[in-house]
Amino acid sequence: MNNILETLKKLWMESGFMGFFETGGWKSLIMIVVALALLYLGIRKKFEPLLLVGIAFGTLLTNLPGAGLYHMAMWDAYVYECPYDAANEAILYDVEEERVLSVEEYMASLPEDAEEPEIIEKLSFTDIAHIGGLLDILYIGVKAGIYPCLIFIGVGAMTDFGPLIANPKSFFLGAAAQFGVFFAFFGAVLLGFTGNQAAAIGIIGGADGPTAILTCMLLAPALLGPIAIAAYSYMALIPMIQPPIMRALTTEKERSVKMEQLREVSKTEKVVFPILTAGFVILLLPSTAPLIGCLMFGNLLRETGVTERLSDVAQNALMNIVTLFLGISVGATTVAARFLTVNTLKIVLLGLIAFCFSTVGGLLVGKLMYKLSGGKINPLIGAAGVSAVPMAARVAQVEGQKANPSNFLLMHAMGPNVAGVIGSAIAAGFLIKVFGA
Amino acid sequence: MDLKMNLGDAAIDAVMGYAVVFLGIALLVLVVVLMGRVMSRKKPAPAAPAAERQPVPTPAPVPAGPAAPGTAGDLKLYGTPDRDAAMIMAIVADELKIPLNELRFISIREVNKK
């Protein structure tokens, strides 16, 4: 009988439930509530469900005490030089307690006359694969910047750059809508973030999830969770964020402008475009290579006409698999100790500011083009310059049609919309170049 | 460079970053416009002149059955089904804001682009 009670007690003491009663356990409970709220938004409200559901479930898994699927501290641990170890090096990380050991703690286990060990490097991906959990292993794809780039191949394969090639002026609207990126960057510095962190936060304004994740990973990996959640949540909220700004900054007359039909773009132009753009932009700003290179590669697969199978895989199977891994591993980074901070609230606020000012930037340049073209360009298409393809273009279409029911702006808005993807990649490339290691 | 920045430096970086995006995009526009020009120069001259130069005799126009609705009755259709012709005429009338019965269509020919 005693044995049975002992076993039951041991089971209870080692269960995850006990984790809620340990120091800081209440934070895990709060994060579980956050995860459930995100699941509600993804499933019920359909806020970017393909990613948000994965992120929310990753948040849930990583905050269940004792699950051991993701070890935040391990990613901060270092490998030290250690002549007392057979491999000549030691990892100062306690797998059992899931925490980084201090050098002093480690020294206590060495002979008294031992010299203080020196840092060799951070844990390699091989070390992580050996001692990490499932989500640690999936997270390697984020850490190495693989997932965002693979998603960009899919995005490229899904994107028709025809409207942009037909009306290259649209490019300027895509550039203008990066205003929010730099405005939020400045705002983040104002709120006390470091340059790297501010750059990672600012890129939320690019309204481009993979770009935001890659930039954040390279500049401020500790902020990945809140930045990814803010970026994807606000992208889903574009139909609510943009229309009031559009109506405030444009007149009824401007919104009702019907634009001329776009010229037809030949197949050759569509094939040459990704090759030319990749070559030119990467030569101009080499740090954009992973994003622009993958985006244009995907687009080339779509347009060649001889790689239909690859294009199909990039658009469907690859995109779905990577989205699955990306969502759950980004969600895993939202560990309570790191997520429940004032900084998260600041990031959420700055993200909203970034989105709003990106819309403002696009609209203002749209209005300028309206004036310069003698009223031929509808300034609403400027708001589509924030990437968020094709949501932002649809919003421009809806608002244009409200002002003039015979207005069809969708194809015109797709130009700035896809230009926004290129614009945000250039903005990210600049920030990575300036603030990267 | 993971350090706190002063606001002056942040403002300079922000303005410079925005300018770099515009500059990059402006140069890209230039490249795309040039590409468009080069490509369009390679294209054969469209429609009328092409028809004049075409030595291949086209088959004698055969009116495809009854005339399409909304015309004076002498509309000739070449490789265009009635249904498509009716749709085309309706679109043209809508775009021109002229009632269909005030328009006169002579012929509708399908142009195959290769």
Side-chain angles (χ1 to χ4, degrees), chain A residues 378-392:
Chain A
N378 190 317
L380 286 180
I381 66 167
V386 302
S387 340
V389 183
M391 187 99 76

Side-chain angles (χ1 to χ4, degrees), chain B residues 41-76:
Chain B
R41 207 180 290 167
K42 279 183 185 170
K43 272 187 200 167
E52 279 171 22
R53 272 185 271 118
Q54 234 177 16
V56 185
T58 47
V62 181
T71 69
D74 53 0
L75 170 67
K76 291 186 175 61

Side-chain angles (χ1 to χ4, degrees), chain A residues 341-397:
Chain A
T341 61
V342 180
N343 276 353
T344 299
L345 292 177
K346 288 182 189 171
I347 290 168
V348 170
L349 176 73
L350 286 165
L352 180 63
I353 291 172
F355 263 68
C356 292
F357 278 86
S358 284
T359 307
V360 169
L363 283 170
L364 290 181
V365 173
K367 280 172 80 82
L368 181 69
M369 288 172 87
Y370 166 82
K371 297 262 186 234
L372 294 178
S373 66
K376 285 182 183 164
I377 291 177
N378 190 317
L380 286 180
I381 66 167
V386 302
S387 340
V389 183
M391 187 99 76
R394 279 194 205 138
V395 173
Q397 155 76 14

Side-chain angles (χ1 to χ4, degrees), chain A residues 117-135:
Chain A
E118 282 182 21
I119 291 175
I120 303 175
E121 59 188 354
K122 279 214 162 189
L123 260 65
S124 69
F125 292 151
T126 317
D127 296 325
I128 302 274
H130 276 133
I131 59 174
L134 173 68
L135 295 182

Side-chain angles (χ1 to χ4, degrees), chain A residues 12-34:
Chain A
W12 172 249
M13 294 304 285
E14 287 178 4
S15 74
F17 289 108
M18 277 306 289
F20 292 123
F21 301 105
E22 288 171 4
T23 320
W26 60 274
K27 287 184 178 175
S28 299
L29 267 178
I30 292 180
M31 284 310 294
I32 289 170
V33 173
V34 170

Side-chain angles (χ1 to χ4, degrees), chain A residues 165 168 171-172 175-176 178-179 182 185-186 189-190 192-196 263-264 266 268-269 272-273 276-277 280-281 284-285 365 422-423 426-427 430 434-435, chain B residues 1-11 13-18 20-29 31-33 35-37 39-40 43 95 97 113:
Chain A
I165 303 170
F171 265 114
F172 289 111
Q178 306 311 313
F179 181 53
F182 297 100
F185 160 77
F186 183 76
V189 172
L190 200 66
F193 286 99
T194 65
N196 287 27
R263 76 170 171 90
E264 201 179 318
S266 70
T268 319
E269 280 178 278
V272 172
F273 177 79
L276 211 61
T277 304
F280 181 77
V281 176
L284 191 70
L285 210 56
V365 173
I422 298 174
I426 295 178
F430 171 82
V434 173
F435 295 101
Chain B
M1 204 172 138
D2 197 6
L3 300 168
K4 296 269 180 201
M5 293 183 81
N6 68 51
L7 290 179
D9 287 344
D13 279 340
V15 172
M16 209 163 69
Y18 201 38
V20 166
V21 173
F22 262 100
L23 180 73
I25 289 287
L27 293 172
L28 193 56
V29 170
V31 172
V32 173
V33 169
M35 177 187 82
R37 294 245 169 100
M39 299 284 171
S40 60
K43 272 187 200 167
E95 284 293 318
K97 303 273 177 267
K113 284 187 182 166

Side-chain angles (χ1 to χ4, degrees), chain A residues 308-321:
Chain A
E308 276 157 20
R309 276 164 53 192
L310 299 184
S311 171
D312 178 53
V313 168
Q315 290 183 43
N316 300 295
L318 179 71
M319 192 80 164
N320 291 341
I321 291 170

